[in-house]
Amino acid sequence: MRTILLVCAAGMSTSLLVTKMEKAAEEKGIEAKIFALPFTDAPRVLEEVDCILLGPQVRFQKAEIEKLAQSRKAGPIPVDVIDMREYGTMNGKAVLEKALKMLGDM
Protein backbone atom coordinates (compact mmCIF):
# COMPACT_ATOMS: atom_id res chain seq x y z
CA MET A 1 0.00 0.00 0.00
CA ARG A 2 1.19 3.50 -0.86
CA THR A 3 0.61 6.47 1.43
CA ILE A 4 0.20 9.85 -0.24
CA LEU A 5 0.03 13.13 1.65
CA LEU A 6 -1.54 16.21 0.14
CA VAL A 7 -0.48 19.44 1.82
CA CYS A 8 -2.58 22.58 1.62
CA ALA A 9 -3.07 25.80 3.54
CA ALA A 10 -5.72 24.66 6.00
CA GLY A 11 -6.15 20.96 5.24
CA MET A 12 -9.71 21.36 4.04
CA SER A 13 -9.47 22.51 0.44
CA THR A 14 -8.00 19.20 -0.70
CA SER A 15 -10.64 16.94 0.85
CA LEU A 16 -12.59 16.70 -2.41
CA LEU A 17 -9.39 15.94 -4.31
CA VAL A 18 -8.54 13.18 -1.81
CA THR A 19 -11.95 11.61 -2.42
CA LYS A 20 -11.47 11.74 -6.18
CA MET A 21 -7.97 10.28 -5.91
CA GLU A 22 -9.25 7.44 -3.72
CA LYS A 23 -11.94 6.68 -6.31
CA ALA A 24 -9.33 6.67 -9.10
CA ALA A 25 -7.10 4.34 -7.07
CA GLU A 26 -10.02 1.99 -6.42
CA GLU A 27 -10.87 1.92 -10.14
CA LYS A 28 -7.25 1.00 -10.93
CA GLY A 29 -7.15 -1.64 -8.19
CA ILE A 30 -4.43 0.26 -6.31
CA GLU A 31 -4.24 0.15 -2.53
CA ALA A 32 -3.49 3.65 -1.34
CA LYS A 33 -3.94 5.70 1.77
CA ILE A 34 -4.45 9.29 0.69
CA PHE A 35 -4.99 12.12 3.12
CA ALA A 36 -4.63 15.88 3.42
CA LEU A 37 -3.16 18.03 6.13
CA PRO A 38 -2.32 21.69 6.53
CA PHE A 39 1.32 22.64 6.03
CA THR A 40 1.85 23.08 9.77
CA ASP A 41 0.85 19.45 10.50
CA ALA A 42 2.85 17.80 7.71
CA PRO A 43 6.12 17.35 9.66
CA ARG A 44 4.49 15.06 12.24
CA VAL A 45 3.56 12.42 9.62
CA LEU A 46 6.68 12.38 7.43
CA GLU A 47 7.77 8.96 8.68
CA GLU A 48 4.42 7.49 7.58
CA VAL A 49 4.17 8.70 3.97
CA ASP A 50 5.67 7.61 0.64
CA CYS A 51 5.29 10.94 -1.20
CA ILE A 52 4.05 14.46 -0.67
CA LEU A 53 2.09 16.62 -3.08
CA LEU A 54 1.61 20.29 -2.28
CA GLY A 55 -1.45 22.24 -3.29
CA PRO A 56 -0.69 25.20 -5.56
CA GLN A 57 -1.55 27.61 -2.73
CA VAL A 58 1.44 26.36 -0.67
CA ARG A 59 3.93 25.81 -3.50
CA PHE A 60 6.13 28.53 -2.01
CA GLN A 61 6.79 26.15 0.91
CA LYS A 62 8.13 23.37 -1.29
CA ALA A 63 11.78 23.93 -0.33
CA GLU A 64 10.96 23.68 3.38
CA ILE A 65 8.98 20.45 2.93
CA GLU A 66 11.72 19.00 0.70
CA LYS A 67 14.31 19.69 3.38
CA LEU A 68 12.18 17.85 5.95
CA ALA A 69 11.45 15.02 3.52
CA GLN A 70 15.16 14.50 2.82
CA SER A 71 16.09 14.30 6.48
CA ARG A 72 13.57 11.77 7.72
CA LYS A 73 14.78 8.59 9.44
CA ALA A 74 13.20 6.21 6.93
CA GLY A 75 14.99 7.89 4.02
CA PRO A 76 14.08 10.67 1.61
CA ILE A 77 10.69 10.89 -0.05
CA PRO A 78 9.64 12.70 -3.23
CA VAL A 79 7.89 16.06 -3.03
CA ASP A 80 6.19 17.97 -5.82
CA VAL A 81 3.49 20.56 -6.44
CA ILE A 82 0.09 19.64 -7.89
CA ASP A 83 -0.53 21.25 -11.26
CA MET A 84 -2.80 24.26 -10.80
CA ARG A 85 -5.14 23.16 -13.58
CA GLU A 86 -5.48 19.62 -12.19
CA TYR A 87 -6.05 21.02 -8.71
CA GLY A 88 -8.62 23.53 -9.94
CA THR A 89 -10.60 20.88 -11.81
CA MET A 90 -10.14 18.36 -8.97
CA ASN A 91 -8.72 15.82 -11.44
CA GLY A 92 -8.11 12.99 -8.98
CA LYS A 93 -7.01 10.57 -11.69
CA ALA A 94 -4.26 12.87 -12.98
CA VAL A 95 -3.01 13.75 -9.50
CA LEU A 96 -2.94 10.07 -8.51
CA GLU A 97 -0.97 9.27 -11.66
CA LYS A 98 1.51 12.05 -10.79
CA ALA A 99 2.00 10.54 -7.33
CA LEU A 100 2.46 7.04 -8.77
CA LYS A 101 5.06 8.33 -11.22
CA MET A 102 6.89 10.02 -8.34
CA LEU A 103 6.93 6.66 -6.59
CA GLY A 104 8.08 4.78 -9.68
CA ASP A 105 4.84 2.79 -9.82
CA MET A 106 3.94 3.92 -13.35
Side-chain angles (χ1 to χ4, degrees), residues 19-35:
T19 301
K20 292 191 174 212
M21 288 175 70
E22 289 172 335
K23 183 179 178 191
E26 185 179 321
E27 289 172 357
K28 289 180 170 275
I30 296 169
E31 285 188 52
K33 177 182 177 186
I34 306 165
F35 64 105

Side-chain angles (χ1 to χ4, degrees), residues 10-56:
M12 295 162 64
S13 61
T14 53
S15 61
L16 179 59
L17 184 56
V18 166
T19 301
K20 292 191 174 212
M21 288 175 70
E22 289 172 335
K23 183 179 178 191
E26 185 179 321
E27 289 172 357
K28 289 180 170 275
I30 296 169
E31 285 188 52
K33 177 182 177 186
I34 306 165
F35 64 105
L37 289 174
F39 175 80
T40 54
D41 291 343
R44 70 177 170 81
V45 298
L46 288 179
E47 297 298 326
E48 305 165 24
V49 301
D50 297 310
C51 77
I52 300 172
L53 288 168
L54 283 78

Side-chain angles (χ1 to χ4, degrees), residues 30-104:
I30 296 169
E31 285 188 52
K33 177 182 177 186
I34 306 165
F35 64 105
L37 289 174
F39 175 80
T40 54
D41 291 343
R44 70 177 170 81
V45 298
L46 288 179
E47 297 298 326
E48 305 165 24
V49 301
D50 297 310
C51 77
I52 300 172
L53 288 168
L54 283 78
Q57 71 274 33
V58 293
R59 68 181 169 270
F60 65 95
Q61 294 173 307
K62 183 180 180 198
E64 188 174 342
I65 288 283
E66 283 179 322
K67 184 177 178 182
L68 292 169
Q70 297 307 312
S71 64
R72 74 181 195 137
K73 294 176 201 163
I77 51 174
V79 176
D80 207 347
V81 177
I82 300 169
D83 178 88
M84 194 178 306
R85 189 175 23 234
E86 292 168 357
Y87 189 88
T89 59
M90 293 288 138
N91 188 338
K93 180 181 176 190
V95 177
L96 175 67
E97 287 174 1
K98 178 181 186 78
L100 296 175
K101 285 178 186 173
M102 290 169 61
L103 295 166

